[in-house]
């Protein structure tokens, strides 16, 4: 079970350990910018905050934590995140484990071979990724091309 929390939490909920990643956008679909902040919680969870320029389209943009770098298509999903609100550009999700029920900590994510992808929508354009960032061990890899996601089920 993955626990999600739309509330960013109180300062006392966090240890002070955090990492901020810059989002890369796909200029065909989105020309804004933003960040992903990964914060360690005192209860051993991890809060992932996405803050990006609003798309102004209303609705929301699905967001996922994926295995591997964001330029590789069809990578499996590690965790589903709270969708990004298109009006505010904000999402906040607290996780304690991946979809395969493997427990995950802040230190695990700092060593994770992964990326975060924000999708255009969850309908006809669900494969289109409008913004992404590499996290963990992939953070220093400089990539400009964002791959579409497959319709495969998460592992």
């Amino acid at each position: 079970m993955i626990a999600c929390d739309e509330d960013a939490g109180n300062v006392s909920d966090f240890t002070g350990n955090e990492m901020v990643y810059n989002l890369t956008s796909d200029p065909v679909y989105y020309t804004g910018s933003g960040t992903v902040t990964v914060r360690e919680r005192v209860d051993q969870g991890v809060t992932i905050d996405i803050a990006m320029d609003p798309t102004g389209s209303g609705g929301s943009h699905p967001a996922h934590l994926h295995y591997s770098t964001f330029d590789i298509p069809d990578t499996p999903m590690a965790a589903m995140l709270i969708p990004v609100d298109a009006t505010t550009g904000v999402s906040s999700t607290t996780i304690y484990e991946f979809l395969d029920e493997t427990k995950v900590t802040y230190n695990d994510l700092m060593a994770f071979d992964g990326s975060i992808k924000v999708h255009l929508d969850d309908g006809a354009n669900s494969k289109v990724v409008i913004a992404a960032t590499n996290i963990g061990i992939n953070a220093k890899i400089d990539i400009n091309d964002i791959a579409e996601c497959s319709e495969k089920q998460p592992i």
Side-chain angles (χ1 to χ4, degrees), residues 20-42:
V20 179
Y21 303 98
N22 290 319
L23 284 168
T24 297
S25 61
D26 183 334
V28 172
Y29 300 101
Y30 175 71
T31 57
S33 62
T35 59
V36 171
T37 304
V38 178
R39 299 185 293 161
E40 182 179 42
R41 297 178 58 86
V42 296

Side-chain angles (χ1 to χ4, degrees), residues 123-140:
N125 298 304
S126 63
K127 293 173 61 174
V128 175
V129 178
I130 61 172
T133 188
N134 289 323
I135 68 164
I137 62 170
N138 298 333
K140 295 184 183 200

Side-chain angles (χ1 to χ4, degrees), residues 21-86:
Y21 303 98
N22 290 319
L23 284 168
T24 297
S25 61
D26 183 334
V28 172
Y29 300 101
Y30 175 71
T31 57
S33 62
T35 59
V36 171
T37 304
V38 178
R39 299 185 293 161
E40 182 179 42
R41 297 178 58 86
V42 296
D43 65 1
Q44 302 302 305
V46 181
T47 295
I48 300 171
D49 295 317
I50 301 172
M52 52 192 277
D53 295 332
T55 60
S57 63
S60 63
H61 302 288
H64 309 121
L65 174 63
H66 286 269
Y67 293 95
S68 196
T69 57
F70 67 74
D71 63 323
I72 299 177
D74 302 336
T75 59
M77 195 184 318
M80 295 180 70
L81 306 177
I82 301 287
V84 175
D85 184 290

